[in-house]
Amino acid sequence: MSINVHRGIQYATAARQQPPRLVDDARETGELKVCPQFRDNLSEEYPDGNQVYLDEDCLQLNVWAPRTGGKNPVTVFFHGGASRFGTANEPRYDGTELARGGTVVVTANYRLGLLGAGNNFLRDQITALEWVQKRIGSFGGDPRNVTAMGESEGAFSLSAILATDNPQRLMRRVILQSGSGYLTHASPTPSVDLTGMSTLEILRLQEKMVGENPLTGAVYFGPYIDGELVKRPVVDALRAGNARGVDLLIGTNRDEMRYFAQFDPDILNLTLEQYRAFFPRELDLGTVARAYRGEPNAALAMLTDQTMRVPATRMAEAQRRWGKAYVYQFDWGPAVHTAELPFVFGTMRFTGVPGGQQAHDADPRAAKALSEQMRRAWTSFGRDGNPGWPQYWLRITKIWDTGARLAIAPKDAQRAAWDGYDFAALRIAPS
């Protein structure tokens, strides 16, 4: 299938620390802009060799559209990167292979760090989805059949959008990869007046604020419950039917937290006592840890379940009353955070996935087949809400690996160990 590619379409403008304004236009510039950030040479890909990006006028998107008649389903992707790094223009997010499955693919930039604080980056994403509603028809997309897809920070954000007023006007379905409403903050990041500061000064300030701990740095910035845009915890909003009619596909990777060892190898030796700083005060650490006695590193396994897997199941449970809900777990290779992205996009680029390239090269044919299966499932879900496996009743979970399979209530004793915690919002103040 032939694909038309349209790059660098400006969907909004935004003054510093102000909400975005929709640009009701669809002209492409061909530019590959990156929102302000220092280059992350370990875990992100970039369209050029710049070491720092300073252009604040960066609210652009890209479109990959099949050359077919009629109206195609639409997938809109928001990247991860701890709300400090990343861009819609990373080569690993090339939408060509995904679009060949018969969907219009959109990838969008949004403001990062201090420049996107105050939930303005969330407003950027909402505005991008509003642009899609207005303009995607001219690219052969069906605005009534939009799936919003996010990974990591992109998934945190889309979860928060499900708790805003009338999310149904923006999307028919949502795919959340390694992220849930639990990572919506209960309170905002400390506010900073950026008046008179250069973009470079802002970047230096935010890195100083975040500090050097890669775990706390990953969640320093993010969406928060502000009482205006996001009025209450995401899981509470879903239980009340706020996203009634929106189908949900959500999942996590088996060893999410091992990803962070590329920034600090000592993370692989995280002890329960070190983990205590992240652990919810409402639970007893020793009691929960007993369910993880068979894990190579109990603290890392618990941190993966606390931040990713268990809150994902809570979202599925909350939403299945109001729409379809499906859960997956990605088990291939190292199965760390972001490891599923090369398979979903079919780009097979393993930047930021320790051990990923080696695992691929050990059996490239099997990896290619897994990617094809996952792309078919994602595009099928976007087309009609059915990825090809049962909904999340009896805790049925799709396990993605070479030899994909279904599992009923995988590692259920570990999941149940968290039953006394509400996973409403992130209450751990990064330091």
Side-chain angles (χ1 to χ4, degrees):
M1 180 184 293
S2 297
I3 305 296
N4 289 323
V5 183
H6 310 271
R7 294 189 182 274
I9 300 171
Q10 186 159 16
Y11 70 85
T13 59
R16 184 183 287 181
Q17 294 189 294
Q18 296 298 316
R21 298 180 64 181
L22 178 72
V23 173
D24 192 6
D25 199 349
R27 287 179 294 178
E28 58 184 291
T29 66
E31 296 177 299
L32 301 178
K33 288 192 175 185
V34 177
C35 288
Q37 62 191 273
F38 291 120
R39 187 184 189 92
D40 175 358
N41 287 308
L42 284 178
S43 61
E44 304 291 342
E45 289 190 315
Y46 293 89
D48 54 43
N50 292 345
Q51 294 302 305
V52 62
Y53 298 90
L54 300 173
D55 188 352
E56 295 186 34
D57 185 22
C58 62
L59 298 182
Q60 294 187 337
L61 54 76
N62 309 307
V63 179
W64 288 261
R67 294 179 185 173
T68 58
K71 294 294 186 183
N72 294 295
V74 181
T75 298
V76 185
F77 177 74
F78 295 105
H79 65 83
S83 199
R84 290 155 53 215
F85 304 107
T87 172
N89 293 306
E90 296 192 36
R92 61 178 169 172
Y93 303 145
D94 186 289
T96 301
E97 293 302 319
L98 203 55
R100 286 194 173 125
T103 184
V104 176
V105 177
V106 179
T107 63
N109 281 343
Y110 55 91
R111 285 175 288 178
L112 304 170
L114 286 170
L115 292 166
N119 274 344
N120 276 329
F121 81 99
L122 208 60
R123 293 181 174 89
D124 294 345
Q125 295 177 10
I126 290 171
T127 303
L129 290 166
E130 290 172 342
W131 183 95
V132 167
Q133 288 297 313
K134 284 177 171 286
R135 286 290 182 171
I136 207 63
S138 62
F139 297 92
D142 183 355
R144 297 168 301 177
N145 198 11
V146 172
T147 297
M149 177 170 75
E151 187 271 340
S152 193
E153 188 67 46
F156 308 163
S157 305
L158 287 175
S159 297
I161 290 173
L162 292 176
T164 63
D165 290 340
N166 192 20
Q168 298 89 343
R169 67 189 174 88
L170 303 171
M171 66 189 83
R172 176 66 184 82
R173 300 179 180 92
V174 63
I175 299 174
L176 304 178
Q177 299 171 205
S178 299
S180 71
Y182 172 54
L183 277 302
T184 298
H185 292 235
S187 57
T189 303
S191 60
V192 177
D193 184 358
L194 305 180
T195 304
M197 297 179 65
S198 71
T199 309
L200 184 59
E201 288 171 335
I202 293 170
L203 293 180
R204 287 172 174 162
L205 173 61
Q206 77 181 30
E207 292 308 296
K208 183 178 179 180
M209 293 171 64
V210 169
E212 297 182 359
N213 186 318
L215 293 175
T216 55
V219 295
Y220 189 92
F221 294 103
Y224 71 96
I225 300 167
D226 58 7
E228 178 184 353
L229 184 64
V230 184
K231 295 184 174 66
R232 54 181 164 172
V234 174
V235 71
D236 292 347
L238 294 187
R239 288 187 184 118
N242 193 73
R244 181 192 302 262
V246 176
D247 298 330
L248 170 67
L249 172 59
I250 188 168
T252 57
N253 300 351
R254 183 192 63 231
D255 290 318
E256 296 270 6
M257 292 300 115
R258 290 180 179 271
Y259 164 89
F260 293 97
Q262 63 190 305
F263 309 105
D264 180 1
D266 286 343
I267 285 173
L268 294 178
N269 301 313
L270 186 72
T271 67
L272 287 173
E273 196 54 42
Q274 290 170 325
Y275 169 49
R276 188 181 295 277
F278 300 90
F279 188 76
R281 296 187 184 93
E282 294 87 339
L283 299 177
D284 178 73
L285 179 62
T287 301
V288 177
R290 281 198 290 272
Y292 293 82
R293 283 177 293 190
E295 295 290 340
N297 183 303
L300 281 179
M302 291 167 69
L303 189 56
T304 287
D305 276 4
Q306 177 192 338
T307 57
M308 298 288 174
R309 184 174 78 100
V310 178
T313 66
R314 297 287 181 88
M315 282 193 68
E317 291 166 353
Q319 186 60 9
R320 68 188 181 189
R321 178 183 174 188
W322 307 103
K324 300 174 184 176
Y326 304 87
V327 173
Y328 75 87
Q329 179 172 299
F330 185 79
D331 274 17
W332 176 90
V336 298
H337 194 59
T338 78
E340 87 290 353
L341 286 168
F343 294 84
V344 170
F345 282 93
T347 54
M348 308 313 282
R349 303 176 70 98
F350 292 94
T351 299
V353 182
Q357 191 64 54
Q358 297 93 315
H360 170 271
D361 293 347
D363 195 343
R365 182 177 297 179
K368 181 181 178 182
L370 177 59
S371 175
E372 290 171 350
Q373 292 169 22
M374 292 185 71
R375 293 200 311 276
R376 281 198 300 270
W378 264 235
T379 54
S380 176
F381 176 76
R383 184 170 51 251
D384 59 19
N386 183 359
W389 71 86
Q391 294 186 51
Y392 192 62
W393 299 99
L394 303 177
R395 307 195 188 284
I396 293 175
T397 303
K398 181 75 169 186
I399 307 296
W400 288 112
D401 199 348
T402 49
R405 65 191 188 278
L406 290 178
I408 297 177
K411 294 191 173 181
D412 207 46
Q414 294 178 357
R415 180 207 57 77
W418 299 89
D419 281 351
Y421 187 52
D422 61 11
F423 289 100
L426 190 67
R427 302 187 187 99
I428 301 172
S431 58

